[in-house]
Amino acid sequence: MDKLLRRKVDAYLMDWKNKPDRKPLIIKGARQIGKTRSVEWFASQNYTSVISINFVEQTKYREIFSDGFEVDVILKNISLLNPGVRFIPGDTLFFFDELQACPNCATSLKFFKLDGRFDVICSGSLMGINYREIESNSVGYKEDYEMHSMDFEEFLWAKGYSDDFVEDLYAHMLHIEPFSALRMDVLLELFRDYVIIGGMPEVVDTYIRNKNFSGTLDIQRQLLKDYEEDISKYVEGLDKAKVKAVYNHISTFLAKENKRFQITKITRNARNRDYIGCVEWLADAGVINVCYCMNQPELPLKGNYDPKLYKIYFKDTGLLVASLDEEAQEDLRANKNLGTYKGAIYENIVGDMLVKQGYQLFYYKSDKPALEMDFFVRDADSLIPVEVKANDGATASLNNLLKGDKYPDVKYGIKLGYRNIGFNGKFYTFPYFLTFLLKRYLWDRKRNTL
């Protein structure tokens, strides 16, 4: 088997295997982000026997748990269906793919863990997976890993850049050392390409092989159709048309000045209570990122927001670009001003890069006083405003947050844009492409200033 693209999950899987008391592992995430391929590659390199079962394609294997969950009973039923399999204690991996199609499999994880002879990895698409049921069936006997589409570091790996190159980027960030003009030009061009194609592995692989954008848009459009078909397939207990309506209006709302999602703008006389659960379903399915409006720019972040006020972003910015009209796509590919959508695209990519580092998304907007901030993150004891600038405009809100002592939790800020590294005594300026290193930077910055 050829490994197409290096992924961060590769190192995670090796760390998991090296744990002496490892639990069965569940890798979850949106569809078509590379879960199956990564596990298959890892399995082929590390086990003599790999028993791979896909519960969508091999429906008869859903019955292997029908006689109970004792491991020997499961092995017997598997060997009935495939007498050629080998069960080698200590050197066998069971890979149960498409877990959402067989929730009973989750119950078996406890028994595999207690038995201890075999390793188990499960993979499931968040779209259609009843994770609450799976959680209750296997609590305490599994380990979870949420996988995303490729981040900018993985994209750099795909382009042939090394770990040393990434470490050098981080060294510039940590020491507030501006990049040379050449390096800025190269990295900004790479980042623009990443914005356009996003991080879906098939799209990235096509871009890498063709050395241009040819073929990528067709794949992205098919992914958008696949997601819409899956809404029809998997939505239960909700109005499928309403979920689709939310999904299909994401780019429409991002084009608006305040970008806030308003149910009343989807269709005439629409009411929030009629759409309860639709946004949550799309978020749980790994299709969107939700950014909630904070009540006040102060700590803590959790609980300090209005669940009725939020923005919605695509999980993958390449899919956002693919959802736009053809003229907008051509403008972006030609590196022209994207007008209405330019700010939305950069907010979307920054939000996605923050989520891939483990952040939840929060913003703030107030009319009196006039104050608006795109995102907030935090370190150990500070609330950190993050401003996303599609141009070199004024930073009035950022300056107001940092002025005086009205917002004591805000001690410094971050501005992201097409600007080199810098610090003006109040906020740090970083180019967009360094966003994937922000959490590491904030951690090291805090540690070094203690």
Side-chain angles (χ1 to χ4, degrees), residues 366-411:
S366 170
D367 294 327
K368 294 181 180 180
L371 196 62
E372 183 173 5
M373 188 51 52
D374 301 309
F375 300 105
F376 284 90
V377 295
R378 64 166 300 171
D379 59 23
D381 57 6
S382 303
L383 181 67
I384 306 162
V386 178
E387 185 172 45
V388 179
K389 298 297 290 186
N391 52 47
D392 289 335
T395 58
S397 288
L398 188 54
N399 285 324
N400 287 337
L401 280 167
L402 294 164
K403 185 168 56 179
D405 56 1
K406 185 174 182 181
Y407 307 102
D409 290 334
V410 180
K411 299 177 176 62

mmCIF file of all heavy atoms in Angstrom, residues 366-411:
data_model
loop_
_atom_site.group_PDB
_atom_site.id
_atom_site.type_symbol
_atom_site.label_atom_id
_atom_site.label_comp_id
_atom_site.label_asym_id
_atom_site.label_seq_id
_atom_site.Cartn_x
_atom_site.Cartn_y
_atom_site.Cartn_z
ATOM 1 N N SER A 366 -20.847 44.552 19.985
ATOM 2 C CA SER A 366 -21.643 45.449 20.812
ATOM 3 C C SER A 366 -21.836 46.756 20.059
ATOM 4 O O SER A 366 -20.920 47.239 19.378
ATOM 5 C CB SER A 366 -20.927 45.716 22.141
ATOM 6 O OG SER A 366 -21.557 46.758 22.852
ATOM 7 N N ASP A 367 -23.035 47.317 20.169
ATOM 8 C CA ASP A 367 -23.310 48.609 19.529
ATOM 9 C C ASP A 367 -22.978 49.785 20.446
ATOM 10 O O ASP A 367 -22.594 50.851 19.981
ATOM 11 C CB ASP A 367 -24.778 48.678 19.099
ATOM 12 C CG ASP A 367 -25.092 47.673 18.004
ATOM 13 O OD1 ASP A 367 -24.199 47.403 17.182
ATOM 14 O OD2 ASP A 367 -26.224 47.136 17.984
ATOM 15 N N LYS A 368 -23.167 49.588 21.749
ATOM 16 C CA LYS A 368 -22.906 50.650 22.717
ATOM 17 C C LYS A 368 -22.079 50.090 23.869
ATOM 18 O O LYS A 368 -22.629 49.407 24.750
ATOM 19 C CB LYS A 368 -24.217 51.225 23.244
ATOM 20 C CG LYS A 368 -25.029 51.948 22.178
ATOM 21 C CD LYS A 368 -26.298 52.525 22.766
ATOM 22 C CE LYS A 368 -27.122 53.251 21.704
ATOM 23 N NZ LYS A 368 -28.370 53.822 22.270
ATOM 24 N N PRO A 369 -20.783 50.312 23.864
ATOM 25 C CA PRO A 369 -20.011 51.034 22.848
ATOM 26 C C PRO A 369 -19.811 50.172 21.593
ATOM 27 O O PRO A 369 -19.916 48.951 21.653
ATOM 28 C CB PRO A 369 -18.673 51.294 23.546
ATOM 29 C CG PRO A 369 -18.522 50.119 24.469
ATOM 30 C CD PRO A 369 -19.913 49.810 24.954
ATOM 31 N N ALA A 370 -19.535 50.820 20.469
ATOM 32 C CA ALA A 370 -19.297 50.102 19.224
ATOM 33 C C ALA A 370 -18.006 49.297 19.340
ATOM 34 O O ALA A 370 -16.918 49.855 19.479
ATOM 35 C CB ALA A 370 -19.212 51.089 18.072
ATOM 36 N N LEU A 371 -18.165 47.988 19.320
ATOM 37 C CA LEU A 371 -17.026 47.106 19.527
ATOM 38 C C LEU A 371 -17.315 45.772 18.847
ATOM 39 O O LEU A 371 -18.408 45.218 19.012
ATOM 40 C CB LEU A 371 -16.804 46.886 21.029
ATOM 41 C CG LEU A 371 -15.468 46.315 21.489
ATOM 42 C CD1 LEU A 371 -14.328 47.263 21.118
ATOM 43 C CD2 LEU A 371 -15.494 46.107 23.002
ATOM 44 N N GLU A 372 -16.364 45.289 18.086
ATOM 45 C CA GLU A 372 -16.546 44.009 17.396
ATOM 46 C C GLU A 372 -15.202 43.319 17.280
ATOM 47 O O GLU A 372 -14.208 43.936 16.904
ATOM 48 C CB GLU A 372 -17.150 44.225 16.010
ATOM 49 C CG GLU A 372 -17.436 42.931 15.270
ATOM 50 C CD GLU A 372 -18.186 43.164 13.963
ATOM 51 O OE1 GLU A 372 -18.391 44.343 13.600
ATOM 52 O OE2 GLU A 372 -18.551 42.177 13.306
ATOM 53 N N MET A 373 -15.186 42.030 17.640
ATOM 54 C CA MET A 373 -13.959 41.264 17.535
ATOM 55 C C MET A 373 -14.271 39.894 16.952
ATOM 56 O O MET A 373 -15.233 39.235 17.354
ATOM 57 C CB MET A 373 -13.300 41.126 18.920
ATOM 58 C CG MET A 373 -11.910 40.493 18.896
ATOM 59 S SD MET A 373 -10.750 41.249 17.715
ATOM 60 C CE MET A 373 -10.868 42.994 18.144
ATOM 61 N N ASP A 374 -13.421 39.449 16.007
ATOM 62 C CA ASP A 374 -13.703 38.234 15.243
ATOM 63 C C ASP A 374 -13.645 36.970 16.099
ATOM 64 O O ASP A 374 -14.530 36.121 16.030
ATOM 65 C CB ASP A 374 -12.709 38.124 14.081
ATOM 66 C CG ASP A 374 -12.788 39.311 13.151
ATOM 67 O OD1 ASP A 374 -13.903 39.646 12.717
ATOM 68 O OD2 ASP A 374 -11.741 39.928 12.864
ATOM 69 N N PHE A 375 -12.589 36.832 16.899
ATOM 70 C CA PHE A 375 -12.422 35.628 17.717
ATOM 71 C C PHE A 375 -11.762 35.997 19.043
ATOM 72 O O PHE A 375 -11.110 37.041 19.165
ATOM 73 C CB PHE A 375 -11.543 34.591 17.002
ATOM 74 C CG PHE A 375 -12.088 34.117 15.689
ATOM 75 C CD1 PHE A 375 -11.538 34.553 14.497
ATOM 76 C CD2 PHE A 375 -13.160 33.230 15.638
ATOM 77 C CE1 PHE A 375 -12.029 34.123 13.277
ATOM 78 C CE2 PHE A 375 -13.672 32.798 14.435
ATOM 79 C CZ PHE A 375 -13.106 33.248 13.247
ATOM 80 N N PHE A 376 -11.942 35.109 20.007
ATOM 81 C CA PHE A 376 -11.226 35.209 21.281
ATOM 82 C C PHE A 376 -10.651 33.842 21.621
ATOM 83 O O PHE A 376 -11.310 32.814 21.456
ATOM 84 C CB PHE A 376 -12.158 35.642 22.418
ATOM 85 C CG PHE A 376 -12.508 37.094 22.415
ATOM 86 C CD1 PHE A 376 -13.619 37.554 21.718
ATOM 87 C CD2 PHE A 376 -11.740 38.022 23.101
ATOM 88 C CE1 PHE A 376 -13.950 38.894 21.711
ATOM 89 C CE2 PHE A 376 -12.065 39.370 23.101
ATOM 90 C CZ PHE A 376 -13.176 39.802 22.403
ATOM 91 N N VAL A 377 -9.411 33.839 22.099
ATOM 92 C CA VAL A 377 -8.797 32.647 22.677
ATOM 93 C C VAL A 377 -8.281 33.055 24.057
ATOM 94 O O VAL A 377 -8.481 34.181 24.490
ATOM 95 C CB VAL A 377 -7.665 32.101 21.782
ATOM 96 C CG1 VAL A 377 -8.221 31.604 20.461
ATOM 97 C CG2 VAL A 377 -6.579 33.146 21.550
ATOM 98 N N ARG A 378 -7.602 32.158 24.728
ATOM 99 C CA ARG A 378 -7.092 32.511 26.043
ATOM 100 C C ARG A 378 -5.799 31.771 26.328
ATOM 101 O O ARG A 378 -5.493 30.725 25.728
ATOM 102 C CB ARG A 378 -8.121 32.196 27.125
ATOM 103 C CG ARG A 378 -8.458 30.720 27.293
ATOM 104 C CD ARG A 378 -9.210 30.480 28.587
ATOM 105 N NE ARG A 378 -8.436 30.886 29.740
ATOM 106 C CZ ARG A 378 -8.900 30.957 30.995
ATOM 107 N NH1 ARG A 378 -10.162 30.625 31.235
ATOM 108 N NH2 ARG A 378 -8.121 31.340 31.992
ATOM 109 N N ASP A 379 -5.005 32.338 27.248
ATOM 110 C CA ASP A 379 -3.910 31.589 27.841
ATOM 111 C C ASP A 379 -4.301 31.325 29.300
ATOM 112 O O ASP A 379 -5.488 31.338 29.634
ATOM 113 C CB ASP A 379 -2.565 32.315 27.695
ATOM 114 C CG ASP A 379 -2.549 33.696 28.344
ATOM 115 O OD1 ASP A 379 -3.367 33.939 29.253
ATOM 116 O OD2 ASP A 379 -1.701 34.524 27.951
ATOM 117 N N ALA A 380 -3.344 31.090 30.170
ATOM 118 C CA ALA A 380 -3.682 30.684 31.536
ATOM 119 C C ALA A 380 -4.536 31.712 32.266
ATOM 120 O O ALA A 380 -5.451 31.360 33.021
ATOM 121 C CB ALA A 380 -2.402 30.397 32.321
ATOM 122 N N ASP A 381 -4.265 33.004 32.061
ATOM 123 C CA ASP A 381 -4.994 34.013 32.836
ATOM 124 C C ASP A 381 -5.398 35.240 32.021
ATOM 125 O O ASP A 381 -5.757 36.273 32.587
ATOM 126 C CB ASP A 381 -4.154 34.460 34.042
ATOM 127 C CG ASP A 381 -2.791 35.005 33.638
ATOM 128 O OD1 ASP A 381 -2.533 35.138 32.429
ATOM 129 O OD2 ASP A 381 -1.981 35.292 34.542
ATOM 130 N N SER A 382 -5.337 35.153 30.688
ATOM 131 C CA SER A 382 -5.664 36.294 29.845
ATOM 132 C C SER A 382 -6.675 35.918 28.772
ATOM 133 O O SER A 382 -6.650 34.802 28.253
ATOM 134 C CB SER A 382 -4.405 36.841 29.146
ATOM 135 O OG SER A 382 -3.415 37.193 30.082
ATOM 136 N N LEU A 383 -7.545 36.860 28.466
ATOM 137 C CA LEU A 383 -8.439 36.750 27.317
ATOM 138 C C LEU A 383 -7.764 37.470 26.159
ATOM 139 O O LEU A 383 -7.358 38.626 26.294
ATOM 140 C CB LEU A 383 -9.786 37.382 27.631
ATOM 141 C CG LEU A 383 -10.845 37.324 26.534
ATOM 142 C CD1 LEU A 383 -11.288 35.898 26.270
ATOM 143 C CD2 LEU A 383 -12.044 38.196 26.902
ATOM 144 N N ILE A 384 -7.653 36.794 25.027
ATOM 145 C CA ILE A 384 -6.856 37.330 23.920
ATOM 146 C C ILE A 384 -7.748 37.551 22.705
ATOM 147 O O ILE A 384 -8.228 36.591 22.089
ATOM 148 C CB ILE A 384 -5.707 36.368 23.561
ATOM 149 C CG1 ILE A 384 -4.874 36.057 24.806
ATOM 150 C CG2 ILE A 384 -4.840 36.960 22.451
ATOM 151 C CD1 ILE A 384 -4.020 34.828 24.680
ATOM 152 N N PRO A 385 -8.011 38.810 22.336
ATOM 153 C CA PRO A 385 -8.774 39.078 21.116
ATOM 154 C C PRO A 385 -7.933 38.779 19.881
ATOM 155 O O PRO A 385 -6.734 39.078 19.843
ATOM 156 C CB PRO A 385 -9.098 40.572 21.225
ATOM 157 C CG PRO A 385 -8.048 41.137 22.121
ATOM 158 C CD PRO A 385 -7.635 40.036 23.061
ATOM 159 N N VAL A 386 -8.578 38.181 18.881
ATOM 160 C CA VAL A 386 -7.905 37.847 17.616
ATOM 161 C C VAL A 386 -8.658 38.545 16.492
ATOM 162 O O VAL A 386 -9.812 38.212 16.215
ATOM 163 C CB VAL A 386 -7.863 36.330 17.382
ATOM 164 C CG1 VAL A 386 -7.197 36.023 16.040
ATOM 165 C CG2 VAL A 386 -7.137 35.618 18.521
ATOM 166 N N GLU A 387 -7.998 39.497 15.863
ATOM 167 C CA GLU A 387 -8.621 40.243 14.773
ATOM 168 C C GLU A 387 -8.133 39.708 13.435
ATOM 169 O O GLU A 387 -6.932 39.511 13.232
ATOM 170 C CB GLU A 387 -8.291 41.734 14.893
ATOM 171 C CG GLU A 387 -9.000 42.577 13.855
ATOM 172 C CD GLU A 387 -8.817 44.066 14.089
ATOM 173 O OE1 GLU A 387 -7.668 44.478 14.364
ATOM 174 O OE2 GLU A 387 -9.803 44.807 14.006
ATOM 175 N N VAL A 388 -9.070 39.472 12.538
ATOM 176 C CA VAL A 388 -8.760 38.966 11.205
ATOM 177 C C VAL A 388 -8.957 40.116 10.222
ATOM 178 O O VAL A 388 -10.072 40.623 10.081
ATOM 179 C CB VAL A 388 -9.674 37.784 10.840
ATOM 180 C CG1 VAL A 388 -9.370 37.280 9.430
ATOM 181 C CG2 VAL A 388 -9.517 36.666 11.860
ATOM 182 N N LYS A 389 -7.897 40.510 9.552
ATOM 183 C CA LYS A 389 -7.972 41.657 8.651
ATOM 184 C C LYS A 389 -7.697 41.230 7.214
ATOM 185 O O LYS A 389 -6.611 40.754 6.890
ATOM 186 C CB LYS A 389 -6.967 42.734 9.059
ATOM 187 C CG LYS A 389 -7.206 43.319 10.436
ATOM 188 C CD LYS A 389 -8.549 44.040 10.532
ATOM 189 C CE LYS A 389 -8.557 45.311 9.732
ATOM 190 N NZ LYS A 389 -9.815 46.085 9.957
ATOM 191 N N ALA A 390 -8.708 41.391 6.366
ATOM 192 C CA ALA A 390 -8.519 41.095 4.949
ATOM 193 C C ALA A 390 -7.748 42.214 4.254
ATOM 194 O O ALA A 390 -7.244 42.044 3.158
ATOM 195 C CB ALA A 390 -9.872 40.898 4.270
ATOM 196 N N ASN A 391 -7.655 43.358 4.910
ATOM 197 C CA ASN A 391 -6.876 44.473 4.369
ATOM 198 C C ASN A 391 -6.098 45.118 5.508
ATOM 199 O O ASN A 391 -6.049 44.596 6.615
ATOM 200 C CB ASN A 391 -7.800 45.488 3.682
ATOM 201 C CG ASN A 391 -8.948 45.908 4.591
ATOM 202 O OD1 ASN A 391 -8.733 46.221 5.765
ATOM 203 N ND2 ASN A 391 -10.161 45.904 4.055
ATOM 204 N N ASP A 392 -5.498 46.237 5.266
ATOM 205 C CA ASP A 392 -4.686 46.914 6.286
ATOM 206 C C ASP A 392 -5.459 48.032 6.977
ATOM 207 O O ASP A 392 -4.907 49.049 7.366
ATOM 208 C CB ASP A 392 -3.410 47.491 5.655
ATOM 209 C CG ASP A 392 -2.443 46.394 5.274
ATOM 210 O OD1 ASP A 392 -2.514 45.315 5.874
ATOM 211 O OD2 ASP A 392 -1.625 46.619 4.366
ATOM 212 N N GLY A 393 -6.764 47.828 7.135
ATOM 213 C CA GLY A 393 -7.602 48.860 7.732
ATOM 214 C C GLY A 393 -7.309 49.081 9.205
ATOM 215 O O GLY A 393 -6.481 48.413 9.823
ATOM 216 N N ALA A 394 -8.039 50.033 9.773
ATOM 217 C CA ALA A 394 -7.843 50.407 11.176
ATOM 218 C C ALA A 394 -8.223 49.258 12.102
ATOM 219 O O ALA A 394 -8.980 48.351 11.744
ATOM 220 C CB ALA A 394 -8.690 51.635 11.490
ATOM 221 N N THR A 395 -7.679 49.298 13.305
ATOM 222 C CA THR A 395 -7.957 48.274 14.312
ATOM 223 C C THR A 395 -8.589 48.937 15.536
ATOM 224 O O THR A 395 -8.123 48.755 16.660
ATOM 225 C CB THR A 395 -6.658 47.541 14.706
ATOM 226 O OG1 THR A 395 -5.721 48.521 15.192
ATOM 227 C CG2 THR A 395 -6.063 46.799 13.532
ATOM 228 N N ALA A 396 -9.671 49.680 15.306
ATOM 229 C CA ALA A 396 -10.278 50.459 16.388
ATOM 230 C C ALA A 396 -10.748 49.565 17.528
ATOM 231 O O ALA A 396 -10.507 49.865 18.708
ATOM 232 C CB ALA A 396 -11.450 51.276 15.837
ATOM 233 N N SER A 397 -11.439 48.468 17.207
ATOM 234 C CA SER A 397 -11.957 47.602 18.264
ATOM 235 C C SER A 397 -10.836 46.977 19.070
ATOM 236 O O SER A 397 -10.906 46.894 20.300
ATOM 237 C CB SER A 397 -12.845 46.503 17.659
ATOM 238 O OG SER A 397 -14.066 47.036 17.198
ATOM 239 N N LEU A 398 -9.791 46.543 18.394
ATOM 240 C CA LEU A 398 -8.658 45.949 19.095
ATOM 241 C C LEU A 398 -8.004 46.978 20.021
ATOM 242 O O LEU A 398 -7.689 46.682 21.181
ATOM 243 C CB LEU A 398 -7.646 45.407 18.083
ATOM 244 C CG LEU A 398 -6.480 44.574 18.622
ATOM 245 C CD1 LEU A 398 -6.974 43.418 19.465
ATOM 246 C CD2 LEU A 398 -5.613 44.069 17.475
ATOM 247 N N ASN A 399 -7.834 48.184 19.536
ATOM 248 C CA ASN A 399 -7.244 49.237 20.366
ATOM 249 C C ASN A 399 -8.133 49.575 21.561
ATOM 250 O O ASN A 399 -7.650 49.792 22.678
ATOM 251 C CB ASN A 399 -7.000 50.495 19.533
ATOM 252 C CG ASN A 399 -5.795 50.354 18.619
ATOM 253 O OD1 ASN A 399 -4.811 49.726 18.990
ATOM 254 N ND2 ASN A 399 -5.877 50.926 17.428
ATOM 255 N N ASN A 400 -9.446 49.601 21.344
ATOM 256 C CA ASN A 400 -10.375 49.911 22.441
ATOM 257 C C ASN A 400 -10.379 48.830 23.507
ATOM 258 O O ASN A 400 -10.513 49.111 24.702
ATOM 259 C CB ASN A 400 -11.786 50.112 21.890
ATOM 260 C CG ASN A 400 -11.929 51.424 21.139
ATOM 261 O OD1 ASN A 400 -11.173 52.360 21.367
ATOM 262 N ND2 ASN A 400 -12.887 51.485 20.221
ATOM 263 N N LEU A 401 -10.251 47.580 23.095
ATOM 264 C CA LEU A 401 -10.199 46.486 24.062
ATOM 265 C C LEU A 401 -8.946 46.562 24.930
ATOM 266 O O LEU A 401 -8.954 46.142 26.093
ATOM 267 C CB LEU A 401 -10.232 45.137 23.330
ATOM 268 C CG LEU A 401 -11.595 44.649 22.853
ATOM 269 C CD1 LEU A 401 -11.440 43.478 21.889
ATOM 270 C CD2 LEU A 401 -12.465 44.220 24.034
ATOM 271 N N LEU A 402 -7.882 47.095 24.347
ATOM 272 C CA LEU A 402 -6.597 47.139 25.052
ATOM 273 C C LEU A 402 -6.358 48.458 25.778
ATOM 274 O O LEU A 402 -5.376 48.620 26.486
ATOM 275 C CB LEU A 402 -5.463 46.902 24.047
ATOM 276 C CG LEU A 402 -5.421 45.505 23.415
ATOM 277 C CD1 LEU A 402 -4.537 45.494 22.184
ATOM 278 C CD2 LEU A 402 -4.942 44.476 24.428
ATOM 279 N N LYS A 403 -7.277 49.409 25.617
ATOM 280 C CA LYS A 403 -7.097 50.742 26.193
ATOM 281 C C LYS A 403 -7.658 50.806 27.613
ATOM 282 O O LYS A 403 -8.781 50.391 27.862
ATOM 283 C CB LYS A 403 -7.801 51.774 25.303
ATOM 284 C CG LYS A 403 -7.581 53.211 25.724
ATOM 285 C CD LYS A 403 -8.065 54.149 24.633
ATOM 286 C CE LYS A 403 -9.515 53.893 24.267
ATOM 287 N NZ LYS A 403 -10.002 54.825 23.228
ATOM 288 N N GLY A 404 -6.867 51.314 28.514
ATOM 289 C CA GLY A 404 -7.336 51.487 29.890
ATOM 290 C C GLY A 404 -7.531 50.159 30.607
ATOM 291 O O GLY A 404 -6.926 49.147 30.272
ATOM 292 N N ASP A 405 -8.411 50.185 31.611
ATOM 293 C CA ASP A 405 -8.629 48.984 32.418
ATOM 294 C C ASP A 405 -10.093 48.542 32.405
ATOM 295 O O ASP A 405 -10.550 47.852 33.310
ATOM 296 C CB ASP A 405 -8.182 49.225 33.859
ATOM 297 C CG ASP A 405 -8.895 50.431 34.480
ATOM 298 O OD1 ASP A 405 -9.724 51.050 33.795
ATOM 299 O OD2 ASP A 405 -8.600 50.726 35.658
ATOM 300 N N LYS A 406 -10.806 48.920 31.351
ATOM 301 C CA LYS A 406 -12.215 48.543 31.275
ATOM 302 C C LYS A 406 -12.381 47.042 31.083
ATOM 303 O O LYS A 406 -13.355 46.454 31.534
ATOM 304 C CB LYS A 406 -12.889 49.301 30.123
ATOM 305 C CG LYS A 406 -14.391 49.068 30.044
ATOM 306 C CD LYS A 406 -15.042 49.941 28.991
ATOM 307 C CE LYS A 406 -16.556 49.711 28.971
ATOM 308 N NZ LYS A 406 -17.214 50.541 27.935
ATOM 309 N N TYR A 407 -11.412 46.429 30.410
ATOM 310 C CA TYR A 407 -11.476 44.984 30.164
ATOM 311 C C TYR A 407 -10.221 44.349 30.765
ATOM 312 O O TYR A 407 -9.254 44.071 30.058
ATOM 313 C CB TYR A 407 -11.577 44.697 28.661
ATOM 314 C CG TYR A 407 -12.714 45.440 27.992
ATOM 315 C CD1 TYR A 407 -12.485 46.583 27.233
ATOM 316 C CD2 TYR A 407 -14.026 44.993 28.140
ATOM 317 C CE1 TYR A 407 -13.527 47.265 26.624
ATOM 318 C CE2 TYR A 407 -15.079 45.666 27.536
ATOM 319 C CZ TYR A 407 -14.825 46.795 26.787
ATOM 320 O OH TYR A 407 -15.864 47.481 26.189
ATOM 321 N N PRO A 408 -10.207 44.131 32.070
ATOM 322 C CA PRO A 408 -8.980 43.711 32.761
ATOM 323 C C PRO A 408 -8.456 42.346 32.331
ATOM 324 O O PRO A 408 -7.265 42.072 32.505
ATOM 325 C CB PRO A 408 -9.395 43.699 34.243
ATOM 326 C CG PRO A 408 -10.894 43.603 34.234
ATOM 327 C CD PRO A 408 -11.340 44.315 33.003
ATOM 328 N N ASP A 409 -9.330 41.492 31.792
ATOM 329 C CA ASP A 409 -8.850 40.175 31.354
ATOM 330 C C ASP A 409 -8.066 40.252 30.042
ATOM 331 O O ASP A 409 -7.387 39.297 29.671
ATOM 332 C CB ASP A 409 -10.026 39.203 31.183
ATOM 333 C CG ASP A 409 -10.646 38.809 32.514
ATOM 334 O OD1 ASP A 409 -9.924 38.854 33.533
ATOM 335 O OD2 ASP A 409 -11.840 38.462 32.544
ATOM 336 N N VAL A 410 -8.211 41.365 29.326
ATOM 337 C CA VAL A 410 -7.540 41.539 28.036
ATOM 338 C C VAL A 410 -6.234 42.289 28.250
ATOM 339 O O VAL A 410 -6.231 43.480 28.558
ATOM 340 C CB VAL A 410 -8.437 42.302 27.039
ATOM 341 C CG1 VAL A 410 -7.712 42.471 25.700
ATOM 342 C CG2 VAL A 410 -9.762 41.575 26.832
ATOM 343 N N LYS A 411 -5.139 41.564 28.109
ATOM 344 C CA LYS A 411 -3.813 42.158 28.367
ATOM 345 C C LYS A 411 -3.024 42.424 27.087
ATOM 346 O O LYS A 411 -2.130 43.256 27.064
ATOM 347 C CB LYS A 411 -3.020 41.250 29.299
ATOM 348 C CG LYS A 411 -3.690 41.050 30.663
ATOM 349 C CD LYS A 411 -2.897 40.091 31.524
ATOM 350 C CE LYS A 411 -3.510 39.966 32.925
ATOM 351 N NZ LYS A 411 -4.888 39.422 32.910
#
